Amino acid sequence: MLGITGIHHIAILTDNYEVSRQFYTEVLGFSVINETYRNERNSYKLDLAVNGTYTIELFSFPETLERASYPEAKGLRHLAFSVDALEAARGWLIRHGVRIEDIRVDEITGKRFLFFYDPNEQPIELYEAD
């Protein structure tokens, strides 16, 4: 056995660092752990805490590639975060001009969820907590 005990971090690439930084800190409310500019790569690395538990690494690179196809490209399909109040979270996103999809119901669990998109068109899901 490998002995995996959890998810350490999730890495996200952006070609517009300032817009993505603002989105993840001010709209989603993640807190900054560390911010590093790497001159040799012309790149930022921003470590973010999600509710003090998980870490998102936001990387900026001057040249990034678009997703190969949407949304069924190989690799990471989407991120999902749990919320206690889906309607309130939906309203917050709308007030901040975030593009969202309609609320849906998971046919297996009966829980409600919705998708929205970060500045790089990365799909993110909000899933109603238990």
Side-chain angles (χ1 to χ4, degrees), residues 1-129:
M1 269 317 203
L2 289 176
I4 294 172
T5 59
I7 295 172
H8 184 267
H9 69 270
I10 299 163
I12 299 171
L13 297 176
T14 182
D15 61 354
N16 190 326
Y17 179 73
E18 291 303 323
V19 169
S20 292
R21 185 188 196 287
Q22 183 270 336
F23 179 82
Y24 281 94
T25 59
E26 296 178 24
V27 177
L28 298 189
F30 299 160
S31 56
V32 174
I33 298 169
N34 190 46
E35 184 172 31
T36 306
Y37 179 73
R38 299 175 301 178
N39 195 45
E40 69 282 359
R41 293 182 169 189
N42 189 24
S43 169
Y44 279 95
K45 178 180 183 278
L46 182 66
D47 297 319
L48 300 165
V50 180
N51 198 28
T53 304
Y54 297 105
T55 302
I56 302 272
E57 293 179 339
L58 181 65
F59 290 95
S60 70
F61 291 105
E63 295 181 30
T64 57
L65 301 175
E66 298 297 327
R67 291 175 63 96
S69 67
Y70 182 80
E72 271 69 34
K74 287 183 181 179
L76 179 66
R77 183 172 177 162
H78 64 267
L79 304 175
F81 298 105
S82 59
V83 294
D84 291 326
L86 188 63
E87 292 290 343
R90 178 182 178 275
W92 175 265
L93 293 172
I94 290 169
R95 287 191 300 279
H96 284 84
V98 177
R99 184 169 65 93
I100 65 169
E101 293 184 2
D102 292 335
I103 292 176
R104 298 187 243 169
V105 176
D106 185 317
E107 60 189 43
I108 296 171
T109 66
K111 296 291 184 181
R112 298 177 319 144
F113 65 96
L114 66 80
F115 280 96
F116 65 98
Y117 301 88
D118 83 353
N120 299 289
E121 294 298 309
Q122 170 67 44
I124 302 173
E125 178 181 357
L126 292 182
Y127 197 89
E128 193 169 52

